[in-house]
Structure formats: structure tokens, C-alpha cells
Amino acid sequence: MTWLDLPAHHPFGVHNLPYGVFSTGGADRRVGVRVGENVLDLAACAERAGMESAAVWRAGSLNPFLDLGREAWASGRTWLVEQLTNEAHRDAVQPHLLPVADVTMHLPIEVADYVDFYASEHHATNVGRMFRPDSEPLTPNWRHLPIGYHGRSGTVVVSGTDVLRPHGQRKGPTDPAPVFGPSIRLDIEAELGFVVGGGTRLGEPVALADADDHLFGVVLLNDWSARDLQAWEYVPLGPFLGKSFATSISPWVVTTDALRTARVALPGQDPEPLPYLRGEVTADGAGTAYGLDVHVEVDWNGTVVSRPEFREMYWSPAQMLAHMTVNGATLRSGDLFGSGTISGPADDTRGCFLELTWSGAQPLTLGDGSRRTFLEDGDTITLTATAPGLDGSVIGFGECVGTVRPPR
């Protein structure tokens, strides 16, 4: 229960309380929490209560709060719930609730490092069938380790930022030589992004059992992809310019604490992973290497074209983090890693247009009657998602929106 006038199943009720960074007018950026149709100015609220945490919430990013670690994150959430559910705090808190329509949202973190994984067996299999029709669709290593690549942190942008069509080299299978120009096969990838908190020392891996100590929260992530540039450049070292021009994330970071009810068992891993990736199974079937029951929707110019389910992912977020550090690589607060395209077994659960149109051979029909394969200038993509919360509630992630603009 809360003293706020909220519908019982509002996606941003007190069971959720995601963090973001906002500003109003000419004021500095600061940390806020979404509750209902409002943003709670955390620094102002904490200052009134005499709390030291006001300092980290005055920052222009979540990074100082992330540095404090799991115990501080849990304490902050407990304090927030108390402020928003105990009638005694209403008069002190209410002045610091600002209508979400009146604030400007910003990138919630200063992105330290960015890694993108390839954790959906359905996606990897579909791509393998398209690109290697005469071979096994999955490479021999795929079921043994979470495959990923190191992306470009400086081009991670907040939802609402326009995406310029990238230039680069491309070469079709029958072209005699490569040409340079704007991408003509611009695509999206519907993913979840995981925000990391708490640094580690070089040479000290994070064990799977300790991964939750560093997994602060989750955002929606759109890994914009120029498929024609990617196809020409990716052999032998993988994605580069076809991916590095833009990655969009939603402004609200849904905490992993809010998503505990959404934990589910993985669909099954065969062969059994090596010991460092092998999690303990708990009574609910989830264990340390858990999946998440997150329902995603992909909207293309007002038409929902796909509904991927994150629970179908082969590798878990904790396994991705453990593998990312097993060689001794460090973590830093503000690290971000993507899950890779979320795809399922059905045609309408594929999380990118490469799969949905089978590399352009099977166009989609949008609500306006147009037949489409890849993105055109002016197209707008909106990712949304929900997950089950405590006591039958719904956890909302907000939106991750981007509109394609012509190249400069």
C-alpha cells in the first residue's frame, strides 16, 4: 500500500522504483526515482531527511551510487519504500514529486565499458542458417561459453536520441569490389542491458555466485546494426563499424531487486557448462544462473512487429558477467553489457529485422500497408517491456525510442 494515488497495477508502483537521471529547466542533472507519473527528486528528499546519501544522488549520473555497492543499494530501496508507503512521510516527500512530463531524462550512467553478448540460441541459429546454409548453424564454441564483443561506450545514447544512418564499406556477394556509402540494410536488435556497480581489481574474476553483488539493474537496449557493413567487415574479428555508431538505452534502470519475482530457470543447457559457469539450482528452479521473465515488444512506426521473451535466452546475465571477468578483466561502476538479440522459436518472437524478414526475403507489412525489410529514414522504433512483480504487480521498463535520420 502507498499514500500515493496509484492504480494497483501501475507499472511504476512502489514495487518497481527504477532509478534515472533528470533535469528541470536550467537546473543541474540529478538522480530521481520513477513512481507512478512522477519523478521523486532523491537528493532534495534525502537532504530534508538529513541523509548522507543526498550527495551521491545530487550527481549527474548513477555512478557514485553504483560505487557504494549492494548493501547501500538495498538500504536505499528500503528507505524509499518507507518514504512512499508510510503516511507519516507524506508532507515531507510530496513537495519533491515532479510530474514526469515536466522533466528531461538523460543517460542514467556514465558508461565505463560496453560489451554485447550473443546469448539467444534461437537468434544465433537463425543467423547461422542464413549466413552458413551448408554448415551447422551454431559454431562449435557457442554452447560452451557466452560469446560477446567489446563495443563502443561513447556512442551509447539515451532513448529519444535520433540515430544517423551510418556510412561505411559494403560489398554484396556478387559485387566485384567494395563501395563506400550509407548503409542500405539498417537494422535493430531488441535486447536487455545490464548495469554494473562496484569495481574489481585486475586479475580477480567475479565468481558466478557473486555476480548479483555487481548486477545493479536492467535497461532496454537497442543495438542498432548496419547489416551490410557488418557482413563485409566482421571476418575475422567480429563487429566494428556496423555496430559502433549508436546503441540506445531506456532512461529508467529497473533494479535487480525489483526483478527478483521475475527470476525463472534457464530453458536448459546442453552440454553442461564448465564449473565456473555452472550455477546452483534453488527450489524455484532459478538458482544463481537464472533467467528473467521479461516480455518485450518491438514497435515499428506504430505497428508491433515482434514480441520476444527474455526467458528463452540460453545464457543468464550472471553467467555473462562471470565469463566477462574470468580472465581477470576488471569491472567498473557504469559498465554496461547487452544480452544480444532476444529471439524465440516463433516467427513473431524474433528480435531483429534480419530474422523477421529472413534477410529481406520475406517483407513485413506495417499498419499503413507498406511492405518493409530494413529501416528507412524517418522510421521510429520503440522497445517496451514488462515483467511480473511482487504480489501480482507489473514491473514496467518504460520505452527505448529512436528515430532514423539521414546521414550527414
Side-chain angles (χ1 to χ4, degrees), residues 213-236:
D213 290 341
H214 297 277
L215 289 170
F216 172 77
V218 184
V219 293
L220 296 173
L221 186 150
N222 185 346
D223 178 27
W224 302 89
S225 301
R227 298 300 186 188
D228 43 354
L229 311 189
Q230 181 184 357
W232 173 234
E233 75 182 1
Y234 86 103
V235 178

Side-chain angles (χ1 to χ4, degrees), residues 215-389:
L215 289 170
F216 172 77
V218 184
V219 293
L220 296 173
L221 186 150
N222 185 346
D223 178 27
W224 302 89
S225 301
R227 298 300 186 188
D228 43 354
L229 311 189
Q230 181 184 357
W232 173 234
E233 75 182 1
Y234 86 103
V235 178
L237 291 182
F240 187 30
L241 300 186
K243 298 277 194 175
S244 63
F245 58 96
T247 302
S248 300
I249 64 171
S250 52
W252 297 110
V253 184
V254 176
T255 65
T256 50
D257 284 337
L259 290 171
R260 287 191 176 274
T261 310
R263 293 187 180 190
V264 292
L266 295 174
Q269 296 181 328
D270 184 20
E272 187 177 40
L274 293 175
Y276 78 95
L277 292 172
R278 198 178 302 158
E280 297 179 2
V281 178
T282 54
D284 60 3
T288 49
Y290 54 85
L292 290 170
D293 187 16
V294 178
H295 319 290
V296 181
E297 285 193 349
V298 180
D299 181 294
W300 190 352
N301 292 346
T303 301
V304 175
V305 294
S306 181
R307 291 182 172 88
E309 296 286 343
F310 193 81
R311 68 183 303 147
E312 294 282 349
M313 300 297 274
Y314 187 91
W315 295 104
S316 80
Q319 288 173 318
M320 294 181 223
L321 189 142
H323 184 69
M324 189 165 63
T325 65
V326 73
N327 66 345
T330 56
L331 294 178
R332 291 185 290 172
S333 291
D335 281 355
L336 174 71
F337 67 91
S339 63
T341 306
I342 308 166
S343 289
D347 291 354
D348 61 354
T349 61
R350 296 170 178 172
C352 67
F353 302 149
L354 179 71
E355 291 177 87
L356 283 165
T357 70
W358 208 252
S359 194
Q362 302 169 11
L364 296 174
T365 301
L366 302 186
D368 61 2
S370 61
R371 300 267 289 167
R372 306 294 292 281
T373 53
F374 293 96
L375 290 164
E376 298 179 2
D377 294 345
D379 284 351
T380 297
I381 299 300
T382 303
L383 305 182
T384 56
T386 58

Side-chain angles (χ1 to χ4, degrees), residues 94-316:
Q94 205 155 30
H96 306 299
L97 288 168
L98 309 172
V100 71
D102 294 345
V103 307
T104 299
M105 298 305 299
H106 303 279
L107 199 65
I109 57 174
E110 293 178 12
V111 184
D113 279 306
Y114 170 52
V115 170
D116 197 26
F117 283 95
Y118 192 47
S120 165
E121 183 175 7
H122 298 290
H123 173 67
T125 299
N126 286 334
V127 171
R129 285 172 177 158
M130 280 184 269
F131 290 171
R132 298 181 300 277
D134 298 323
S135 305
E136 285 294 318
L138 293 180
T139 54
N141 60 347
W142 197 91
R143 288 194 179 94
H144 292 273
L145 56 89
I147 293 173
Y149 70 91
H150 203 108
R152 192 172 182 87
S153 60
T155 54
V156 177
V157 297
V158 72
S159 171
T161 305
D162 287 346
V163 175
L164 299 181
R165 184 177 296 274
H167 283 92
Q169 286 192 29
R170 62 178 190 270
K171 180 184 179 300
T174 60
D175 294 340
V179 297
F180 178 82
S183 170
I184 58 175
R185 287 167 65 90
L186 188 58
D187 197 358
I188 62 109
E189 292 189 346
E191 307 187 19
L192 295 187
F194 296 87
V195 175
V196 172
T200 60
R201 292 191 296 183
L202 187 65
E204 294 186 356
V206 174
L208 181 65
D210 298 326
D212 267 358
D213 290 341
H214 297 277
L215 289 170
F216 172 77
V218 184
V219 293
L220 296 173
L221 186 150
N222 185 346
D223 178 27
W224 302 89
S225 301
R227 298 300 186 188
D228 43 354
L229 311 189
Q230 181 184 357
W232 173 234
E233 75 182 1
Y234 86 103
V235 178
L237 291 182
F240 187 30
L241 300 186
K243 298 277 194 175
S244 63
F245 58 96
T247 302
S248 300
I249 64 171
S250 52
W252 297 110
V253 184
V254 176
T255 65
T256 50
D257 284 337
L259 290 171
R260 287 191 176 274
T261 310
R263 293 187 180 190
V264 292
L266 295 174
Q269 296 181 328
D270 184 20
E272 187 177 40
L274 293 175
Y276 78 95
L277 292 172
R278 198 178 302 158
E280 297 179 2
V281 178
T282 54
D284 60 3
T288 49
Y290 54 85
L292 290 170
D293 187 16
V294 178
H295 319 290
V296 181
E297 285 193 349
V298 180
D299 181 294
W300 190 352
N301 292 346
T303 301
V304 175
V305 294
S306 181
R307 291 182 172 88
E309 296 286 343
F310 193 81
R311 68 183 303 147
E312 294 282 349
M313 300 297 274
Y314 187 91
W315 295 104
S316 80

